[in-house]
Amino acid sequence: AQKITQTQPGMFVQEKEAVTLDCTYDTSDQSYGLFWYKQPSSGEMIFLIYQGSYDEQNATEGRYSLNFQKARKSANLVISASQLGDSAMYFCAMREGLILTGGGNKLTFGTGTQLKVEL
Amino acid sequence: EAGVTQFPSHSVIEKGQTVTLRCDPISGHDNLYWYRRVMGKEIKFLLHFVKESKQDESGMPNNRFLAERTGGTYSTLKVQPAELEDSGVYFCASSHGLAGGPKRSDTQYFGPGTRLTVL
């Protein structure tokens, strides 16, 4: 079963508008972390935002916020006031379990959403 | 602070040849991860080092892939002999590790990737 599902292969948004990128996940762990990364056409993966399963408040980082609905197992990324530079591929990822004593756990990624910001 | 670096950025080789990819993590990061994205598929975990030790190599596809991290600094990923299906983008990521307790994010920061083409 797919653990991270991103159902929107492509999205368009007008500049200055807000956009929501969907992400649902599947895990039986009580402890997990959810990440969003941005990959522009240049190819590098840029960390955007993190939400821990125990965090009671939705994470926010500047124009990025994470709409975390634990019961629905969704972790949607909201980008406010879209800019042309936001055009990129966006990946949702999950780390299951607590951080091991020896270090972190592997990330499981979704297939990504290609966002295009238009004038 | 320098980010994760990878070398080379691109590599084109023929089937049967050997290729070695290098990753330099962020200074002070104990955890180092390798991931791969094959065309059209999601990003998949390959393996995880904690310092010089392999913590998890469950994602390594077969014994043609050999990863090392001598001295717990940079890492190499060798593919020998390369096959057509090995083509893709190989990402390296690093994270800090133990600091902050088991519920910390331990965010993984990615390098720009190495695009490998096997002809």
Side-chain angles (χ1 to χ4, degrees):
Chain A
Q2 201 164 2
K3 293 205 170 187
I4 295 285
T5 303
Q6 294 181 255
T7 57
Q8 307 153 313
M11 290 278 286
F12 290 89
V13 65
Q14 294 278 323
E15 194 182 22
K16 300 179 186 177
E17 291 189 348
V19 63
T20 298
L21 306 183
D22 294 341
C23 173
T24 58
Y25 59 92
D26 182 29
T27 181
S28 56
D29 280 318
Q30 295 301 308
S31 301
Y32 51 89
L34 297 156
F35 299 81
W36 277 91
Y37 289 87
K38 171 186 178 181
Q39 186 182 39
S41 57
S42 51
E44 74 271 30
M45 294 275 286
I46 302 167
F47 165 69
L48 295 177
I49 196 166
Y50 165 78
Q51 180 84 42
S53 59
Y54 292 112
D55 296 337
E56 294 184 352
Q57 292 194 325
N58 287 344
T60 60
E61 289 286 348
R63 293 187 299 110
Y64 304 108
S65 60
L66 205 151
N67 183 1
F68 181 47
Q69 298 188 39
K70 197 169 181 177
R72 297 179 61 183
K73 293 189 175 178
S74 73
N76 298 339
L77 176 70
V78 180
I79 305 174
S80 63
S82 296
Q83 302 171 356
L84 294 177
D86 293 335
S87 295
M89 179 73 88
Y90 288 80
F91 291 99
C92 179
M94 176 173 64
R95 186 201 60 236
E96 293 177 276
L98 291 172
I99 302 294
L100 299 175
T101 302
N105 291 338
K106 63 187 178 186
L107 295 177
T108 300
F109 284 85
T111 50
T113 295
Q114 183 73 47
L115 177 66
K116 173 81 169 159
V117 180
E118 301 174 315
L119 289 170
Chain B
E1 180 182 277
V4 177
T5 58
Q6 293 187 244
F7 182 83
S9 56
H10 292 84
S11 181
V12 181
I13 61 173
E14 293 193 349
K15 175 182 172 181
Q17 289 186 323
T18 298
V19 63
T20 300
L21 314 181
R22 173 172 169 142
C23 168
D24 286 78
I26 293 171
S27 177
H29 279 191
D30 286 342
N31 294 319
L32 188 150
Y33 304 80
W34 284 98
Y35 293 85
R36 175 174 75 169
R37 188 179 190 205
V38 173
M39 181 72 75
K41 302 276 184 75
E42 64 267 30
I43 299 165
K44 287 276 183 79
F45 166 81
L46 295 178
L47 88 159
H48 166 211
F49 285 99
V50 177
K51 298 183 180 178
E52 66 275 8
S53 300
K54 290 176 185 174
Q55 180 82 12
D56 181 355
E57 48 184 328
S58 61
M60 293 288 262
N62 51 61
N63 59 10
R64 295 186 294 103
F65 289 74
L66 175 64
E68 294 181 327
R69 192 183 182 194
T70 307
T73 55
Y74 71 92
S75 174
T76 58
L77 179 65
K78 181 190 289 189
V79 186
Q80 179 182 29
E83 298 289 344
L84 299 179
E85 64 264 25
D86 300 333
S87 295
V89 181
Y90 289 76
F91 290 102
C92 175
S94 71
S95 70
H96 196 285
L98 294 171
K103 295 181 181 178
R104 68 198 180 284
S105 68
D106 200 35
T107 297
Q108 295 180 28
Y109 296 93
F110 281 73
T114 294
R115 182 174 294 277
L116 174 65
T117 303
V118 182
L119 302 175

